[in-house]
Amino acid sequence: MTRSIIPFGPQHPVLPEPLHLKLTVEDETVVEAIPALGYVHRGLEGLAQRRDYHQMIYVVERVCGICSCIHAMCYCNAIEKLMGLEVPRRAKYLRVIWSELHRVHSHLLWLGLFADAFGFESLFMNLWKIRERVMDINEATAGNRVIVSTNIIGGVRRDISEDWLKQILKDITEIEQQLKPMFDVMTNDYTIKKRTVGKGVLSKELCHQLGAAGPTLRGSGWAQDVRQLKYEAFDELDFEPVVEYDGDCYSRNKVRFRETFQSLEIVRQAINRIPSGELAVKPKGNPDGEIAFRVEQPRGELFYYVKCNGGKNPERVRIRTPTFANIPPLLAMLPGAQLADVPVLALSIDPCISCTER
Amino acid sequence: MKFDLQKWINEGRLKSPWVVHFNCGSCNGCDIEILDCLTPVHDVERFGIINVGNPKQADVLLVSGTVNHRNKTALKNIYDQMQHPKAVIAIGSCGLSGGIFYDAYNVVGGVDKVIPVDVYVPGCPPKPEQIIDAVLVALGKLKASLEKSDEAPGQETAPAAGEQPAA
Ligand code: SF4
């Protein structure tokens, strides 16, 4: 049988991002996949030496526009730990609300793209229509739709008024109602099952060995969620990691959909329990020392290592993002797959290339 | 009455511009806003705008993000594959000048360092309404260059590119 090499990306109709895979195929079956990275590399970590530690918040927010709030939250937490700042409770709750709203919109975005990957256009349209409500909440409470820029060192920049908290409660209830029928379609539709069940199976052991993170890991039966570490206000909120056991595209899909409901529930809890009080404390002096901090991003574990030397600029900021951890599992599931399934498999890890390459 | 085939084609082109989107080192913020334009709330299809994957079929190129040393060749390739007349829209502060990353080591700068740009959309990220507006402005430019090519048939109808700096 003759082998041929087919490039997948960097400009591809299904993926909005420049993911580039060199696929070696035999007839229609993929035998090998080699990723080529670097199309989005900007050298963002290098900017740390040229920006002071406040300005760096805006840089890390732009690592990835989809989960910008969570990047900033992780970085701020690291610096706050270094400086020994105690963030007010209300600020912590507000951070949880914004970051969980980001998770909802990120998951809805992914679910829509996933539906589009196997040609289910109307589902894509419907999910994105619902997502628009979340963007409206972002815009109304933070002033921007995508990059909200609400985190500062020591707390948050803006408050959400009582009226708006009530409005958000109303909105998320409606979002939940609109999402329920979509969940039925996503999990029961014959065509979707045909395209996802048993595709790209990752066993529990393999997933662990390859160091997968986030929904990819939880889709294979590991109950691991960094939010269990109780950072921010998660110590007062109840939730359980969402786990599915089959390790195929269908499971990962289901994990993400169930997490969307879970995040909406966390927002509801946070709004019901939010205390009143200060929004931020003022940082004094410059941070000194080194620290690592982890948070849960929509795609998995996000890790920041920050080293400061008492000067204005951080000395080193190292970012390890979940997609980087999820690329080895993707390469493990591609050999043996049909060429037509490659977009579905590639999307099933929820690749965020701008995170990976920074 | 003489049937003017060229006029007929031009009308079709302006009525329904096809766009191709290239993510060129963007943070995704701009990309999700571009995709947002396709969805029911903003619904660009009412203007006949369709997002296609193949640059050879597209009239308008949307570029988001900064150009870096690796993707500048990919960007140039995509631009060269498009048929004349074509328009380029740079989206977001990154596409305009490099934005917040202007002094990062792997950043070349704005999109106009590599290919000629017709419409600039500021914002980080710009709203979907701004992007739709930009496509309509680009259509005006396409129309002008189509009319020019009607007067002088057989001439190249590329928009004035200006001197391109060495990449
Ligand atoms: S302009 Fe802003 S949102 Fe757009 S790609 Fe650049 S940093 Fe991201």
Side-chain angles (χ1 to χ4, degrees):
Chain A
M1 223 177 290
T2 52
R3 290 190 169 197
S4 41
I5 294 180
I6 295 189
F8 179 85
Q11 200 268 343
H12 192 274
V14 170
L15 295 164
E17 285 187 286
L19 170 68
H20 184 39
L21 294 171
K22 284 196 191 90
L23 301 171
T24 311
V25 292
E26 251 169 29
D27 283 350
E28 284 278 296
T29 313
V30 180
V31 286
E32 198 188 13
I34 300 171
L37 300 177
Y39 287 95
V40 197
H41 180 64
R42 290 153 291 187
L44 209 146
E45 288 173 1
L47 281 180
Q49 280 114 35
R50 281 185 239 161
R51 305 274 193 270
D52 77 26
Y53 68 97
H54 291 291
Q55 291 170 334
M56 200 55 200
I57 302 174
Y58 307 107
V59 177
V60 296
E61 270 182 339
R62 283 155 181 84
V63 171
C64 168
I66 305 180
C67 43
S68 56
C69 177
I70 303 178
H71 273 280
M73 187 172 95
C74 189
Y75 172 79
C76 288
N77 263 297
I79 298 279
E80 281 153 8
K81 274 250 170 75
L82 273 185
M83 301 177 81
L85 293 175
E86 188 49 50
V87 178
R89 279 317 281 178
R90 187 174 177 88
K92 289 192 171 181
Y93 270 90
L94 287 173
R95 280 182 183 178
V96 167
I97 293 172
W98 272 308
S99 68
E100 289 308 306
L101 284 174
H102 267 74
R103 193 184 311 279
V104 173
H105 101 69
S106 166
H107 277 345
L108 287 179
L109 176 143
W110 178 84
L111 288 161
L113 285 181
F114 193 57
D116 198 38
F118 45 71
F120 207 143
E121 190 107 351
S122 56
L123 189 56
F124 163 73
M125 292 289 179
N126 271 313
L127 286 165
W128 277 61
K129 189 169 124 202
I130 300 170
R131 174 177 170 272
E132 205 62 26
R133 305 275 310 255
V134 185
M135 307 308 277
D136 287 345
I137 300 178
N138 275 349
E139 188 172 7
T141 54
N144 200 353
R145 287 161 49 90
V146 178
I147 297 190
V148 292
S149 283
T150 47
N151 292 298
I152 50 173
I153 308 275
V156 289
R157 182 191 308 282
R158 289 164 179 262
D159 199 0
I160 304 183
S161 68
E162 280 308 313
D163 290 347
W164 259 103
L165 287 177
K166 281 204 201 96
Q167 181 63 35
I168 296 176
L169 273 185
K170 235 191 273 165
D171 278 353
I172 58 176
T173 316
E174 279 173 34
I175 293 172
E176 262 171 359
Q177 276 163 3
Q178 291 171 350
L179 274 179
K180 283 215 175 93
M182 304 291 138
F183 184 67
D184 287 343
V185 174
M186 250 321 182
T187 49
N188 295 327
D189 186 86
Y190 175 79
T191 327
I192 296 182
K193 276 188 161 171
K194 266 271 183 260
R195 289 300 302 269
T196 54
V197 175
K199 297 274 155 59
V201 181
L202 283 177
S203 69
K204 192 169 175 181
E205 290 71 42
L206 189 64
C207 231
H208 190 253
Q209 280 165 13
L210 295 174
T216 313
L217 183 64
R218 291 195 283 280
S220 291
W222 292 91
Q224 200 174 329
D225 189 324
V226 186
R227 284 177 290 175
Q228 288 167 299
L229 293 180
K230 315 262 178 234
Y231 58 89
E232 298 298 359
F234 284 108
D235 49 351
E236 290 176 7
L237 302 168
D238 318 314
F239 73 100
E240 286 287 317
V242 176
V243 189
E244 292 286 334
Y245 296 92
D246 295 336
D248 54 3
C249 289
Y250 182 73
S251 293
R252 293 192 274 276
N253 181 358
K254 216 167 163 186
V255 167
R256 293 204 175 91
F257 219 127
R258 284 176 53 202
E259 272 187 10
T260 314
F261 288 117
Q262 184 196 43
S263 292
L264 289 170
E265 182 53 40
I266 293 178
V267 174
R268 180 174 297 128
Q269 282 182 26
I271 291 181
N272 286 333
R273 295 181 194 175
I274 190 167
S276 53
E278 285 293 299
L279 289 183
V281 289
K282 242 193 150 51
K284 285 197 194 72
N286 291 327
D288 192 3
E290 56 180 341
I291 193 162
F293 200 83
R294 296 191 287 165
V295 298
E296 181 80 10
Q297 226 196 7
R299 289 155 188 78
E301 177 198 271
L302 173 69
F303 171 96
Y304 266 68
Y305 165 81
V306 183
K307 185 174 178 205
C308 296
N309 51 8
K312 235 170 50 188
N313 310 338
E315 201 178 313
R316 177 88 172 95
V317 176
R318 164 87 177 99
I319 309 167
R320 182 189 184 266
T321 58
T323 306
F324 185 71
N326 281 335
I327 283 183
L330 172 65
L331 299 182
M333 57 178 127
L334 281 176
Q338 293 296 304
L339 190 57
D341 282 334
V342 173
V344 176
L345 296 184
L347 264 180
S348 82
I349 64 159
D350 198 353
C352 174
I353 306 301
S354 61
C355 272
T356 315
E357 299 174 352
R358 300 179 296 281
Chain B
M1 201 180 98
K2 198 173 132 251
F3 177 65
D4 189 345
L5 180 65
Q6 194 54 43
K7 193 167 156 230
W8 192 59
I9 293 176
N10 287 354
E11 261 173 22
R13 269 185 164 155
L14 293 172
K15 185 77 194 156
S16 171
W18 287 13
V19 302
V20 61
H21 164 220
F22 184 59
N23 171 335
C24 183
S26 115
C27 79
N28 278 344
C30 287
D31 308 76
I32 56 180
E33 293 297 63
I34 292 171
L35 272 180
D36 229 59
C37 300
L38 303 173
T39 55
V41 175
H42 301 287
D43 190 22
V44 289
E45 282 198 29
R46 67 198 149 122
F47 300 114
I49 302 172
I50 295 176
N51 190 14
V52 290
N54 189 346
K56 291 192 178 118
Q57 301 167 346
D59 305 303
V60 178
L61 173 63
L62 298 176
V63 190
S64 55
T66 59
V67 180
N68 67 23
H69 289 288
R70 171 143 188 164
N71 62 25
K72 64 183 180 198
T73 35
L75 177 64
K76 187 95 182 52
N77 276 345
I78 288 179
Y79 179 77
D80 289 342
Q81 282 177 29
M82 288 170 65
Q83 308 288 323
H84 285 302
K86 52 193 167 185
V88 179
I89 304 178
I91 288 171
S93 329
C94 287
L96 268 56
S97 62
I100 193 166
F101 310 114
Y102 73 100
D103 57 349
Y105 60 81
N106 200 25
V107 168
V108 177
V111 175
D112 52 7
K113 292 253 167 81
V114 182
I115 55 175
V117 175
D118 297 291
V119 185
Y120 296 86
V121 191
C124 181
K127 291 193 172 191
E129 290 90 340
Q130 273 175 283
I131 297 173
I132 297 172
D133 184 52
V135 176
L136 296 182
V137 172
L139 276 191
K141 292 211 160 187
L142 273 185
K143 190 171 175 204
S145 75
L146 280 176
E147 274 161 11
K148 221 164 83 198
S149 75
D150 276 355
E151 284 159 18
Q155 286 211 344
E156 192 72 318
T157 53
E163 206 50 48
Q164 279 185 38

